[in-house]
Amino acid sequence: MADWTNLDQLNSYQALAADSTRVDLRAVLAGEQGGQRVRDYTVPMACGLAYHYGAKQVNDAILEKLANLAEEAQLAEKFAELYNGAMINTGEKRLVLHHLTRGQLGNPVIADGVDKREFYTEQQKRIAAFTKKVHSGEVVNAAGEPFTTVVQIGIGGSDLGPRAVYLALENWARAEGTLKMEARFISNVDPDDAVNVLSNIDVAHSLFILVSKSGTTLETLTNEAFVKDALNKAGLNPADHMVAVTSQTSPLASSSDYLDAFFMDDHIGGRFSSTSAVGGAVLSLAFGPEVFAQFLAGAAETDRLSATADALHNPAMLDALIGVYERNILGYQCTAVLPYSQALSRFPAHLQQADMESNGKSVNRFGEPVGYPTGPVLFGEPGTNGQHSFYQLLHQGTDIVPLQFIGFRENQGGTDVLIEGSYSQQKLGANVAAQIVAFACGKEDEDRNKNFDGGRPSSIIIGDRLTPESLGALLAHFENKIMFQGFIWNLNSFDQEGVQLGKVLAKRVLAHDTDGALAAYSDLLGI
């Protein structure tokens, strides 16, 4: 059994904190030695991706100390325990089993009296069978016409991950001829969200997926009511247009209000659920179950690589360690995720939840306060849009923000235009290469307004093309990175009590059980 110890109690961390060495990025990236450093500080990832960290503030000595930290913190052992069904979610007394949805190695995991590998595999088979009936015209609307649009109704992990994955693969699927149905998403309880989606689709040819593990999520059930109202007004029976993704014990599981129900369980947290039925239903309907299987295969390849004990050859573990070094030794409070791919436009939003909901904690796994910083604030937008937005602060602001770039050598659609001697994809790549060096090396100028101090660290994940396999690998990389950081900080990364208090107070407001400030704000909002 692994030993769970606070970060500041580890000898390897104390040695790291005592080392006053700071890497000067401007110096190490200058001249030909900079090119060699970029080539040397590279680790292969799954599915043809690679993690390049030559523009991070580390050197061989610091990397050795980080490897020692990984060994003392027993990161490989903890990942193996999680991977093979240990009770890692101590706050809720649950296993952590999202790896099982994509072919996890190891022994079968029995929980709740059920072989969970068989349970998740069975749900995938059921989703695939239902999907094929929809695509073949066996499942149709009341008029006998095919469904052309699928709409996911959910919030949090039931929306952010599946939406990010759908948008990441939509153009790829169009180019490859595998886009079976367009997908839309309704998440916000703000009625404008549901109205906007419903007014821009043909509800008669739309299939709706209600996603709620408990079957009681306020926002999701409210939006379901919007959808049912729209279907009724169109003279349609909602039960002919809706399926559910829920737990077997929820009120939705056997309701006649749905064409079918597919199941998840409490051992997969919402932010880690894109590879479960939560993502599987909408993505299989949109792209076909074969494409969803490719996505799962990419994630599984990353998971196998993440089990590597050698920290310097385990990209997710190394990424996590460097992030902890930046947060706890260098004192950087934020991280920016900057994909130079429009397809990944919602990927940073998904990672915001995955990272900040997992490691935004101030107590350890045993409920004891920790005396060191934990998860960073994470934000991001796709390049080059971000360059014309918040990069000013990143380049010349008073705070240094570590940067995590993502880039590809080829676009998804296969169409490009030659303008002024270069293609658009080349212009995109030129921008990310220039930004990495500009952030690291800066530029001296007597005019302080035009002076760039540099010393702004970054890494980049590079691949040939964003495909289902590489997207699955990319998603699992960040999921595993988040978990490794939680292990290092001795956190329970798998509960989210911080989202509960607001829900409780909102119910009081709606029940008019308020006083003091809560009553005053309720009055201001017209409730």
Side-chain angles (χ1 to χ4, degrees):
M1 294 288 291
D3 179 45
W4 299 89
T5 305
N6 280 5
L7 173 63
D8 55 6
Q9 300 302 307
L10 300 176
N11 293 329
S12 53
Y13 174 73
Q14 294 170 13
L16 196 63
D19 186 348
S20 59
T21 302
R22 296 294 180 265
V23 173
D24 183 348
L25 287 176
R26 290 160 296 195
V28 299
L29 288 178
E32 185 55 37
Q33 67 173 4
Q36 189 59 49
R37 176 182 168 92
V38 172
R39 290 186 286 272
D40 289 344
Y41 280 29
T42 297
V43 180
M45 296 172 59
C47 299
L49 300 171
Y51 173 63
H52 303 264
Y53 60 101
K56 286 293 192 181
Q57 290 170 293
V58 295
N59 56 24
D60 290 350
I62 292 170
L63 290 170
E64 183 179 355
K65 289 183 173 65
L66 290 174
N68 292 338
L69 175 61
E71 184 175 356
E72 187 179 4
Q74 297 180 293
L75 298 188
E77 291 86 345
K78 289 170 183 175
F79 185 74
E81 287 189 10
L82 177 148
Y83 203 57
N84 291 298
M87 185 70 70
I88 297 294
N89 181 352
T90 53
E92 297 172 317
K93 302 296 187 292
R94 294 172 182 167
L95 311 184
V96 178
L97 298 181
H98 56 276
H99 297 94
L100 262 181
T101 63
R102 57 236 199 178
Q104 170 205 36
L105 302 175
N107 298 322
V109 176
I110 307 299
D112 309 322
V114 174
D115 184 323
K116 287 298 179 179
R117 187 197 305 276
E118 292 185 3
F119 173 73
Y120 299 139
T121 300
E122 178 62 23
Q123 297 312 304
Q124 291 170 1
K125 291 177 179 177
R126 292 184 60 238
I127 290 170
F130 177 80
T131 296
K132 290 176 181 177
K133 290 180 181 179
V134 172
H135 293 165
S136 67
E138 185 175 343
V139 173
V140 292
N141 69 5
E145 298 165 337
F147 292 109
T148 57
T149 302
V150 55
V151 181
Q152 180 119 318
I153 309 168
I155 197 166
S158 300
D159 167 70
L160 288 164
R163 187 195 295 247
V165 173
Y166 172 77
L167 291 175
L169 294 178
E170 185 178 24
N171 281 342
W172 174 89
R174 289 185 193 278
E176 298 293 324
T178 64
L179 184 64
K180 309 293 186 182
M181 302 171 70
E182 291 191 343
R184 299 292 182 265
F185 297 83
I186 300 173
S187 59
N188 199 332
V189 75
D190 183 339
D192 288 342
D193 189 17
V195 169
N196 180 59
V197 172
L198 292 170
S199 63
N200 283 284
I201 63 172
D202 178 2
V203 294
H205 297 90
S206 297
L207 185 64
F208 297 87
I209 305 174
L210 185 77
V211 184
S212 174
K213 186 183 297 183
S214 66
T216 61
T217 310
L218 174 65
E219 296 93 337
T220 302
L221 296 184
T222 300
N223 283 324
E224 181 190 28
F226 259 91
V227 168
K228 286 184 173 180
D229 182 64
L231 289 165
N232 284 321
K233 287 178 178 176
L236 302 167
N237 180 5
D240 294 335
H241 288 257
M242 303 193 76
V243 298
V245 175
T246 189
S247 68
Q248 288 179 300
T249 58
S250 92
L252 311 180
S254 56
S255 172
S256 60
D257 290 342
Y258 307 99
L259 288 168
D260 210 335
F262 307 108
F263 301 125
M264 53 174 149
D265 61 30
D266 287 334
H267 302 294
I268 298 178
R271 56 195 176 274
F272 299 108
S273 66
S274 292
T275 54
S276 74
V278 173
V282 64
L283 297 173
S284 294
L285 284 164
F287 305 127
E290 299 82 4
V291 171
F292 184 65
Q294 294 167 21
F295 171 67
L296 296 181
E301 190 174 331
T302 284
D303 290 340
R304 288 189 288 272
L305 189 56
S306 296
T308 304
D310 183 350
L312 301 186
H313 291 89
N314 181 329
M317 188 184 292
L318 179 59
D319 197 358
L321 288 162
I322 293 174
V324 169
Y325 178 72
E326 291 172 332
R327 185 77 177 100
N328 296 94
I329 303 300
L330 301 181
Y332 302 147
Q333 299 179 357
C334 302
T335 296
V337 177
L338 309 170
Y340 274 62
S341 167
Q342 186 60 29
L344 294 174
S345 60
R346 292 297 290 170
F347 197 64
H350 168 59
L351 292 183
Q352 281 178 342
Q353 184 201 19
D355 200 310
M356 296 168 71
E357 198 168 82
S358 294
N359 292 333
K361 312 287 175 62
S362 58
V363 299
N364 67 13
R365 292 167 54 80
F366 310 109
E368 304 161 344
V370 296
Y372 44 82
T374 57
V377 174
L378 190 146
F379 66 96
E381 285 288 334
T384 59
N385 295 23
Q387 293 176 199
H388 296 269
S389 176
F390 52 81
Y391 276 37
Q392 169 61 44
L393 183 148
L394 300 182
H395 274 294
Q396 293 183 308
T398 54
D399 290 316
I400 293 179
V401 178
L403 315 165
Q404 196 137 36
F405 292 98
I406 304 168
F408 299 92
R409 299 179 185 93
E410 304 171 17
N411 65 22
Q412 288 184 310
T415 301
D416 207 343
V417 179
L418 183 67
I419 302 175
E420 296 181 354
S422 61
Y423 288 94
S424 297
Q425 186 69 28
Q426 293 174 316
K427 291 179 173 66
L428 182 68
N431 270 275
V432 68
Q435 289 294 331
I436 292 171
V437 174
F439 278 119
C441 298
K443 180 180 74 73
E444 292 185 5
D445 198 298
E446 291 182 1
D447 182 347
R448 291 299 300 171
N449 288 317
K450 298 180 179 179
N451 187 78
F452 293 77
D453 290 334
R456 315 276 166 144
S458 70
S459 62
I460 182 168
I461 294 171
I462 299 178
D464 287 331
R465 185 178 182 227
L466 186 59
T467 64
E469 293 93 337
S470 62
L471 179 62
L474 187 68
L475 175 71
H477 170 88
F478 282 102
E479 288 180 346
N480 294 337
K481 172 191 174 181
I482 290 164
M483 291 186 292
F484 282 130
Q485 289 188 327
F487 295 159
I488 295 168
W489 287 316
N490 198 24
L491 306 176
N492 177 15
S493 299
F494 306 102
D495 63 7
Q496 55 283 329
E497 294 300 326
V499 307
Q500 302 303 325
L501 178 58
K503 292 182 179 180
V504 172
L505 293 181
K507 289 180 179 178
R508 283 184 53 192
V509 170
L510 293 173
H512 302 288
D513 176 22
T514 60
D515 56 20
L518 191 59
Y521 281 115
S522 301
D523 290 342
L524 288 171
L525 289 162
I527 303 167

